[in-house]
Amino acid sequence: MRCHSAISALMALSTALTPAIAQTAAPEANPNGGRPEIHNVEEMRKMGGYTAPGARAYADMAAEAGGKLWPVTLFYRCQAVRERNPVKAPLPKPVEVFDKVYSIGTAENNIWAIDTKDGIILLDALTTEEDAKNVIVKNMQALGLDPKRIRIILLTHNHLDHFGGAAYLKALSGAKLAMSEADWTAKVKWGTLPVKAADDFYLTDGQTITLGGQTLTVLLTPGHTPGTVSLLFPVKDKGVPHMASLFGGQGSPRDVASLLEFRRSLNHFADYTDLMQADVVLSNHTVGDDGLVRVAALQKRKAGDPNPYVVGREGVVRYDGEWRACLSADIDEAVAKAAPGNFVPVLSGQPPKQSEQTAK
Ligand SMILES: [Zn+2]
């Protein structure tokens, strides 16, 4: 049942992502917000921009792994030139994605609300107080969720578009804020981190957080920031259980040491997606899970249709594989372009450091 629905979801989604050409009606506009897409190895070779042989091999592997299911995500993750186009999409309508698990974010940043009998867990808080009021609170009210019932706000990392609305939402609801110590104590470039109150808490690796019978497993996955956290948690789709995985940081760093750290974090995440048999991929950014296409598919979902976020074990393995291969492509491209001798071999898992160049 579970397996069958996962395979149907994969098939329905790959059909949705490859619109058939209708003779009579104009093809439906792709709801991805005008973002570029890479679907396969050929497109990767044209658009990826990698020049080093190793990087090109990794980018091919990424395209093979994930191009069918996450063409937007693939373009944004695996592209040597790092082209970034702003999304052109209206504010998505809030929607119940899994039983009592809601998507309530913007076209760029997805915010997830998990409703339990003892209150609501919110994943991230958008950029400003206005965003919190005009998007998070309004969307919750539209879904019949009382924002005053927010009990925990988990902040995946210390970038403003994730924590900016947190202080307002805490004042409104009395919720506890939670973020990793590495991120909460770091200096941030944009905005001011919320002051950690006595009831707020640090997120740690392997920690579990339970509210109203819902448990989330926290993983420390640095790379995007020093203390990015990722999450796994069980969900139900019309009563059928699934395991959701959400990696908490998106954009790749440029320097090799941070890219290596990111790849180790992705492996740590993949250990857990395997051990916990995750079969759902969620993201806190719509570029992280082709979210705009999936939310649009959910808005049109009819009884019996598969849930577009359920990608099955094959999908999760492909997602982790795509991302690992993209990070590897960036690592290889950067190292291959550096002058010979600039990197020392990786011993005992330590990232290579740029050696002191002594002019002789
Ligand atoms: Zn970020």
Side-chain angles (χ1 to χ4, degrees):
M1 173 69 193
R2 181 166 162 174
C3 209
H4 173 76
S5 72
I7 291 162
S8 329
L10 277 169
M11 287 172 62
L13 193 68
S14 82
T15 310
L17 296 171
T18 327
I21 298 165
Q23 298 247 315
T24 47
E28 266 186 77
N30 185 335
N32 83 1
R35 288 165 163 157
E37 298 184 340
I38 294 178
H39 298 87
N40 52 46
V41 170
E42 288 68 37
E43 289 176 12
M44 175 58 78
R45 288 180 182 174
K46 276 192 208 132
M47 297 164 76
Y50 292 100
T51 54
R56 289 168 63 92
Y58 275 129
D60 282 2
M61 288 159 67
E64 193 283 321
K68 284 199 180 73
L69 284 167
W70 298 278
V72 168
T73 304
L74 182 60
F75 177 85
Y76 278 86
R77 274 211 188 118
C78 220
Q79 187 209 150
V81 291
R82 301 288 165 86
E83 188 185 322
R84 292 283 183 273
N85 298 325
V87 65
K88 292 188 214 96
L91 188 69
K93 267 195 252 167
V95 61
E96 184 172 11
V97 174
F98 289 98
D99 302 355
K100 294 181 176 293
V101 177
Y102 305 85
S103 162
I104 58 169
T106 67
E108 284 282 2
N109 286 66
N110 211 345
I111 301 294
W112 297 92
I114 304 165
D115 190 15
T116 79
K117 64 181 167 50
D118 294 335
I120 294 165
I121 303 166
L122 205 63
L123 310 185
D124 287 341
L126 293 178
T127 311
T128 61
E129 181 175 327
E130 284 65 41
D131 288 341
K133 280 181 195 160
N134 297 331
V135 181
I136 293 176
V137 168
K138 276 195 183 158
N139 278 345
M140 289 180 79
Q141 287 165 341
L143 292 163
L145 299 169
D146 180 358
K148 294 205 168 110
R149 290 184 60 247
I150 303 172
R151 290 289 167 271
I152 302 173
I153 303 173
L154 294 182
L155 301 170
T156 55
H157 64 279
N158 67 9
H159 286 162
L160 184 59
D161 56 331
H162 299 268
F163 73 75
Y168 168 78
L169 291 167
K170 182 182 175 76
L172 177 77
S173 62
K176 295 175 182 178
L177 304 184
M179 184 163 39
S180 73
E181 184 170 8
D183 266 20
W184 214 331
T185 55
K187 273 206 175 118
V188 295
K189 258 191 192 163
W190 295 286
T192 309
L193 286 168
V195 175
K196 185 172 172 288
D199 60 340
D200 296 338
F201 61 100
Y202 289 133
L203 296 172
T204 58
D205 192 53
Q207 177 185 33
T208 54
I209 294 169
T210 301
L211 181 74
Q214 171 66 271
T215 296
L216 295 94
T217 300
V218 178
L219 298 176
L220 202 53
T221 51
H224 179 68
T225 63
T228 299
V229 298
S230 299
L231 302 164
L232 287 112
F233 51 98
V235 292
K236 283 185 180 168
D237 181 48
K238 304 193 187 305
V240 179
H242 296 282
M243 182 60 70
S245 61
L246 183 152
F247 198 94
Q250 297 300 313
S252 305
R254 301 310 295 254
D255 68 286
V256 172
S258 304
L259 281 164
L260 287 166
E261 182 178 49
F262 204 139
R263 187 167 64 179
R264 284 194 295 276
S265 291
L266 203 271
N267 283 337
H268 184 45
F269 179 70
D271 286 349
Y272 275 77
T273 60
D274 287 352
L275 290 170
M276 296 177 74
Q277 291 284 287
D279 61 348
V280 168
V281 170
L282 305 178
S283 179
N284 51 2
H285 274 283
T286 59
V287 291
D289 57 4
D290 282 54
L292 288 173
V293 175
R294 282 176 168 76
V295 164
L298 269 171
Q299 305 283 6
K300 289 195 276 185
R301 186 182 183 195
K302 294 186 204 78
D305 286 352
N307 185 319
Y309 279 95
V310 178
V311 293
R313 285 293 300 144
E314 180 186 347
V316 171
V317 168
R318 286 182 172 280
Y319 184 83
D320 293 349
E322 172 194 300
W323 203 340
R324 186 185 298 107
C326 289
L327 291 164
S328 302
D330 283 348
I331 291 164
D332 191 80
E333 184 84 0
V335 175
K337 278 185 174 165
N342 260 7
F343 291 96
V344 295
V346 181
L347 301 170
S348 68
Q350 290 302 308
K353 291 187 173 58
Q354 288 202 313
S355 63
E356 301 284 331
Q357 289 296 299
T358 45
K360 279 185 184 160

